[in-house]
């Protein structure tokens, strides 16, 4: 008998087991034609879980309910599964974070979100308490993630699967950018985790909520049923007053607005030509690539920017720092058509310095990049003065990975092209 998960395919609690199954190599099938509110009310389902909640995992040895227990069961099917860590202390820490994720993160997101969706009484003082408790939990999580890429160890564990799924409903439905920007390490962690291939396969593309759901109105909706006498009056029966709404719904969708950068005047600099020159130059880099860059550069159509990470003192672990930069470049993919970048991780010992050089289409940093890539706020940005020979030479050194850079060795240099 195959493992059958009774749930819809968009339930974040079911996703915990499905993601764990992807990492473990176990096949878990979703129950066919499962309908929430119907399938979980049948006698067969109630026999598996007396209170009718989902998800429930049907196994050859009997049913298992409660999402964390299901995820543990699936993970345990593989002996010595790295999702449980490599030692007893790591196993304990994973379970520690699973409990924290459930009681401090998931519970407080639910206390904030569900009343606004109408699944419980909306009481402003209760909401204030929920938000305060959630912020306290996120602050603790943020502190831990300041020096850790993942919750436990140096790779994904069950703790990250459960935390990522619990955070996904918060990020996706109520935790807007203005809320989460107070917790930059949680932001970096969340987007790093949910962009892992096994997460993407189950969760799909995760987008952050743009607004907080409005609380339900206390005013009762006015009755729309006309009285019987009025229903008999022929003039009142003209139902064509719905036509404006019908026309509005049937209106052809408006074409997607072009990126403002596509509307700029043509530039003599062709970004793809520079990227090809950079990639194909293997020798005499200064004479070929750097000279070619300045021959191509168009200050009217492009701008150059230095960036410096604001929290250099936090870069105490090399692999965490490298992952931080790698995640930034991954999230900058939305600007690939309009940008070229170099990111340097500098120093032979902690704290490591992260500095970068970016070429953007247009005479300022594109607004859509500033709005959509949260990492931008973690850096100080300064436009390059190309008339300053010292700054121009700094550009040259960053493009060619010159070492020592500003008197220090390079731990790594990453290119965005």
């Amino acid at each position: 008998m195959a493992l059958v998960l009774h749930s819809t395919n968009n339930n974040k609690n079911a996703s915990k087991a499905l993601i764990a199954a992807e990492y473990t190599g176990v096949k878990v099938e979703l129950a066919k034609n499962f309908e929430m509110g119907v399938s979980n009310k049948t006698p067969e389902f109630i026999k598996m879980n007396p209170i009718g909640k989902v998800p429930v995992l049907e196994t050859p040895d009997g049913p298992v309910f409660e999402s964390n227990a299901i995820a543990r069961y699936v993970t345990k099917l593989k002996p010595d599964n790295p999702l449980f860590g490599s030692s007893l202390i790591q196993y304990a820490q994973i379970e520690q974070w699973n409990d924290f994720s459930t009681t401090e993160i998931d519970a407080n997101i639910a206390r904030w979100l569900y009343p606004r969706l109408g699944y419980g009484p909306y009481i402003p003082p209760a909401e204030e308490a929920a938000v305060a408790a959630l912020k306290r939990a996120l602050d603790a999580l943020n502190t831990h993630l300041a020096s850790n890429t993942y919750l436990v160890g140096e790779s994904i564990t069950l703790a990250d699967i459960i935390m990522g799924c619990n955070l996904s409903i918060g990020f996706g439905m109520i935790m807007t950018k203005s809320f989460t920007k107070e917790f930059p390490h949680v932001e970096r962690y969340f987007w790093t985790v949910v962009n892992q291939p096994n997460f993407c396969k189950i969760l799909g593309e995760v987008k952050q909520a743009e607004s907080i759901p409005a609380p339900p109105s206390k005013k009762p909706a006015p009755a729309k049923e006309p009285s019987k006498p009025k229903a008999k009056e022929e003039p009142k029966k003209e139902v064509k007053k719905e036509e404006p709404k019908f026309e509005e719904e049937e209106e052809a969708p408006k074409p997607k607005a072009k990126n403002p950068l596509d509307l700029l005047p043509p530039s003599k600099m062709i970004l793809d030509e520079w990227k090809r020159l950079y990639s194909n130059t293997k020798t005499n880099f200064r004479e070929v690539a750097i000279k070619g860059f300045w021959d191509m550069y168009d200050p009217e159509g492009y701008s150059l920017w230095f960036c410096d990470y604001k929290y250099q003192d936090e870069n105490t672990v090399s692999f965490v720092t490298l992952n931080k930069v790698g995640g930034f470049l991954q999230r900058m993919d939305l600007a690939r058509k309009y940008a070229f970048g170099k990111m340097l991780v500098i120093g032979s010992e902690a704290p490591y310095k992260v500095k970068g050089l970016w070429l953007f289409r247009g005479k300022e940093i594109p607004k859509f990049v500033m709005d959509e890539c949260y990492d931008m706020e973690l850096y100080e940005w300064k436009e390059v003065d190309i008339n300053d020979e010292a700054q121009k030479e700094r550009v040259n050194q960053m493009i060619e990975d010159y070492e020592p850079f500003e008197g220090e060795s390079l731990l790594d240099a990453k290119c965005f092209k």
Side-chain angles (χ1 to χ4, degrees):
M1 172 187 170
L3 297 174
V4 179
L5 190 64
H6 294 262
S7 175
T8 56
N9 64 357
N10 60 350
N11 184 309
K12 58 95 176 171
N13 285 327
S15 295
K16 299 172 186 178
L18 295 173
I19 295 170
E22 291 295 327
Y23 278 98
T24 302
V26 174
K27 186 176 181 181
V28 176
E29 298 176 355
L30 281 169
K32 294 180 180 178
N33 304 317
F34 186 91
E35 186 178 350
M36 191 64 188
V38 177
S39 302
N40 59 314
K41 302 299 181 184
T42 63
E44 293 80 10
F45 189 93
I46 297 300
K47 188 175 179 180
M48 293 189 293
N49 185 353
I51 60 175
K53 288 188 175 182
V54 298
V56 169
L57 183 69
E58 193 175 357
T59 83
D61 301 315
V64 180
F65 58 84
E66 293 298 332
S67 61
N68 288 2
I70 295 171
R72 290 187 185 98
Y73 175 89
V74 170
T75 304
K76 279 285 188 181
L77 291 174
K78 179 180 180 180
D80 300 320
N81 196 328
L83 290 182
F84 277 128
S86 59
S87 64
L88 181 59
I89 186 62
Q90 284 197 350
Y91 172 78
Q93 289 168 342
I94 289 166
E95 292 293 13
Q96 156 196 292
W97 285 112
N98 289 342
D99 289 348
F100 177 91
S101 177
T102 301
T103 59
E104 302 295 340
I105 300 295
D106 192 38
N108 287 311
I109 289 174
R111 288 169 59 205
W112 181 15
L113 174 63
Y114 292 154
R116 283 182 171 261
L117 297 180
Y119 298 129
Y122 176 72
I123 306 170
E127 178 179 88
E128 280 185 33
V131 173
L134 178 60
K135 284 188 173 183
R136 180 172 177 267
L138 290 173
D139 188 56
L141 182 60
N142 194 65
T143 299
H144 177 73
L145 293 171
S147 56
N148 294 277
T149 300
Y150 302 108
L151 290 176
V152 180
E154 298 180 8
S155 61
I156 293 284
T157 65
L158 185 60
D160 301 301
I161 294 173
I162 291 174
M163 182 69 79
C165 289
N166 285 339
L167 283 171
S168 68
I169 193 170
F171 271 83
M173 298 194 69
I174 200 165
M175 289 163 52
T176 61
K177 174 64 181 173
S178 62
F179 178 84
T180 61
K181 69 180 181 181
E182 295 181 37
F183 315 102
H185 303 299
V186 174
E187 287 184 321
R188 183 267 307 159
Y189 165 79
F190 176 73
W191 295 115
T192 297
V193 166
V194 298
N195 281 304
Q196 299 298 313
N198 286 334
F199 279 77
C200 291
K201 188 172 181 180
I202 303 303
L203 298 178
E205 183 184 6
V206 179
K207 293 185 178 179
Q208 188 160 12
E210 295 182 357
S211 60
I212 296 175
S217 173
K218 292 184 179 180
K219 295 181 180 179
K224 292 186 178 180
E225 286 293 325
S227 62
K228 286 184 179 180
K230 288 186 177 180
K232 292 179 180 178
E233 295 175 14
E234 290 300 322
K236 301 288 184 180
K237 278 191 160 186
E238 293 182 4
V239 294
K240 299 304 180 186
K241 291 198 174 184
E242 293 295 324
E243 285 183 4
K245 183 178 179 182
F246 175 79
E247 290 172 0
E248 188 177 274
E249 291 174 353
E250 294 295 319
E251 184 180 356
K254 295 179 181 179
K256 188 176 180 180
K258 286 188 175 181
N259 189 304
L261 299 183
D262 294 328
L263 304 178
L264 293 175
S267 170
K268 69 172 188 176
M269 185 176 197
I270 309 301
L271 188 59
D272 284 343
E273 289 185 5
W274 157 243
K275 291 180 179 181
R276 278 194 295 272
L277 178 64
Y278 174 89
S279 299
N280 295 334
T281 303
K282 306 302 180 186
T283 59
N284 299 323
F285 197 86
R286 271 271 173 159
E287 294 76 11
V288 179
I290 300 295
K291 182 179 183 303
F293 174 79
W294 292 113
D295 290 342
M296 295 179 185
Y297 183 64
D298 170 21
E300 295 303 315
Y302 285 83
S303 56
L304 279 166
W305 299 81
F306 293 128
C307 68
D308 286 85
Y309 191 65
K310 292 179 180 178
Y311 311 103
Q312 306 284 19
D313 289 344
E314 296 180 357
N315 298 329
T316 57
V317 181
S318 60
F319 80 87
V320 173
T321 306
L322 295 172
N323 286 345
K324 187 184 300 179
V325 173
F328 174 34
L329 296 183
Q330 184 181 46
R331 288 181 285 278
M332 280 293 287
D333 193 66
L334 78 168
R336 194 168 297 278
K337 181 180 174 183
Y338 310 101
F340 170 87
K342 290 300 297 283
M343 294 296 296
L344 308 183
V345 182
I346 304 161
S348 57
E349 58 184 28
Y352 303 98
K353 299 182 181 70
V354 176
K355 301 184 179 185
L357 169 75
W358 286 85
L359 171 73
F360 289 115
R361 182 73 167 100
K363 302 189 76 171
E364 58 186 18
I365 299 175
K367 185 177 184 301
F368 78 94
V369 176
M370 295 297 294
D371 289 344
E372 298 184 35
C373 184
Y374 72 83
D375 303 73
M376 300 294 286
E377 296 182 359
L378 303 178
Y379 291 83
E380 295 284 357
W381 294 88
K382 178 183 178 183
E383 187 170 7
V384 177
D385 180 359
I386 62 172
N387 295 314
D388 184 324
E389 288 301 320
Q391 291 190 39
K392 195 171 178 180
E393 174 59 22
R394 190 171 190 256
V395 170
N396 297 342
Q397 292 185 11
M398 297 185 88
I399 291 176
E400 69 171 333
D401 305 339
Y402 182 86
E403 191 174 16
F405 180 76
E406 297 181 341
E408 296 187 79
S409 61
L410 292 181
L411 178 65
D412 197 10
K414 297 181 182 291
C415 182
F416 177 89
K417 57 183 171 64

